Amino acid sequence: MSLVRPLRLLLLGAPGSGKGTQTSRLLKQFPLIQSLSSGDILRSQIAAGTDVGKLASSYIKNGQLVPDATMVSLISNQLEQNSWLNKETSWLLDGFPRTVEQAAALNGVLESADANLNLVVELDVDQKVILERIEARWVHLPSGRVYNLDYNPPKVPYKDDLTGDPLTKREDDTAEVFQRRLDKYNQEIVPLKEFYDRRGILSKVSGNTSDIIYPKLSQLLLDEFGH
Ligand code: ATP
Ligand code: MG
């Protein structure tokens, strides 16, 4: 089964809720979808030492959000470069928009291209479970691939499955910074969900592991965009 009309999806979910993992699985099942993760883009800007990276780094380290204006211009540029303003392209966003201000700005850009979001899915995971498993999260920074030593371990310990590069810990995955990210998320998510609910495109999938969530997410896409 494949998608019969273009999908323009936003994945919402607390930090550590598995947005990156669900994205990897979706790209495997639906190879025509393109994806963009704001966190991955920021981390690659930091690694490259750009001005945006330097600015972002100070916020990320402390578990705070990067200013809206910076995020909106960074992501808008990416949308254009990736031809995401073309109506036929199927894509998914992870991590942006994260505030109502960002959502309104994105809405303006996409609407004028007649290629607005057509689905927003909230990954609903118990936050106690998230806190327990974040300690076991290791990442491959260049690709954004995410592993969990307990649930989703790499084939070779501490090595990326595809490249064999060493895995690392994100510097904002410490208990203290992580709690701050979670608090910030809980504050922003209510008005953000309202924004999309009013537009009639908000759905939710619940479960405490990525293996439980993935089949529900995949089925939701097939029901609404497949044949
Ligand atoms: P996870 O990767 O576990 O889903 P997360 O959603 O908190 O967790 P990222 O999306 O990787 O993590 O973002 C990491 C950090 O980058 C955030 O804490 C924030 O500082 C910054 N960031 C990412 N996206 C945005 C955004 N849209 N607006 C503002 N800051 C952002
Ligand atoms: Mg992420």
Side-chain angles (χ1 to χ4, degrees):
M1 284 238 273
S2 55
L3 305 181
V4 294
R5 61 189 177 97
L7 169 72
R8 295 181 291 272
L9 169 68
L10 167 63
L11 283 182
L12 295 177
S17 61
K19 299 182 294 285
T21 303
Q22 299 300 329
T23 298
S24 300
R25 294 190 189 185
L26 286 174
L27 301 189
K28 221 183 253 173
Q29 184 177 355
F30 305 104
L32 293 180
I33 301 179
Q34 303 179 39
S35 75
L36 195 76
S37 153
S38 57
D40 289 350
I41 289 178
L42 290 171
R43 284 183 285 276
S44 69
Q45 295 278 334
I46 292 171
T50 64
D51 287 343
V52 169
K54 283 178 198 144
L55 175 86
S57 167
S58 56
Y59 292 94
I60 293 179
K61 265 193 217 135
N62 294 314
Q64 284 162 341
L65 293 185
V66 176
D68 288 332
T70 307
M71 291 309 301
V72 168
S73 79
L74 183 66
I75 302 294
S76 304
N77 285 339
Q78 294 279 335
L79 297 182
E80 263 175 59
Q81 279 172 27
N82 297 341
S83 66
W84 281 25
L85 300 181
N86 173 337
K87 280 205 288 197
E88 300 311 314
T89 311
S90 281
W91 47 254
L92 79 85
L93 277 170
D94 152 7
F96 179 94
R98 243 212 197 41
T99 64
V100 169
E101 288 71 21
Q102 293 176 12
L106 178 70
N107 203 56
V109 173
L110 295 178
E111 205 160 69
S112 57
D114 194 21
N116 217 334
L117 285 166
N118 48 24
L119 185 63
V120 178
V121 179
E122 179 197 4
L123 307 181
D124 170 36
V125 182
D126 187 338
Q127 295 195 356
K128 273 201 235 97
V129 174
I130 291 180
L131 282 169
E132 275 166 21
R133 72 188 190 197
I134 202 65
E135 296 263 311
R137 171 157 81 172
W138 288 73
V139 296
H140 180 243
L141 273 184
S143 68
R145 276 187 288 278
V146 186
Y147 300 88
N148 182 291
L149 298 186
D150 302 326
Y151 297 94
N152 172 34
K155 291 183 190 131
V156 178
Y158 306 103
K159 296 273 164 69
D160 178 50
D161 285 353
L162 269 87
T163 61
D165 293 342
L167 301 177
T168 54
K169 290 290 289 177
R170 275 171 49 173
E171 66 174 352
D172 57 349
D173 273 354
T174 62
E176 188 199 347
V177 174
F178 194 82
Q179 184 63 56
R180 220 174 298 148
R181 288 162 56 200
L182 214 46
D183 293 345
K184 188 71 190 157
Y185 174 81
N186 290 331
Q187 184 188 327
E188 298 290 349
I189 192 63
V190 176
L192 197 56
K193 275 166 57 176
E194 247 167 51
F195 183 94
Y196 291 117
D197 201 18
R198 243 182 282 129
R199 288 164 174 77
I201 54 173
L202 182 65
S203 294
K204 171 158 101 173
V205 287
S206 304
N208 283 346
T209 70
S210 294
D211 287 345
I212 293 174
I213 290 202
Y214 187 70
K216 297 184 186 178
L217 176 60
S218 163
Q219 194 57 51
L220 179 70
L221 297 196
L222 289 171
D223 288 346
E224 298 203 18
F225 294 85
H227 67 130

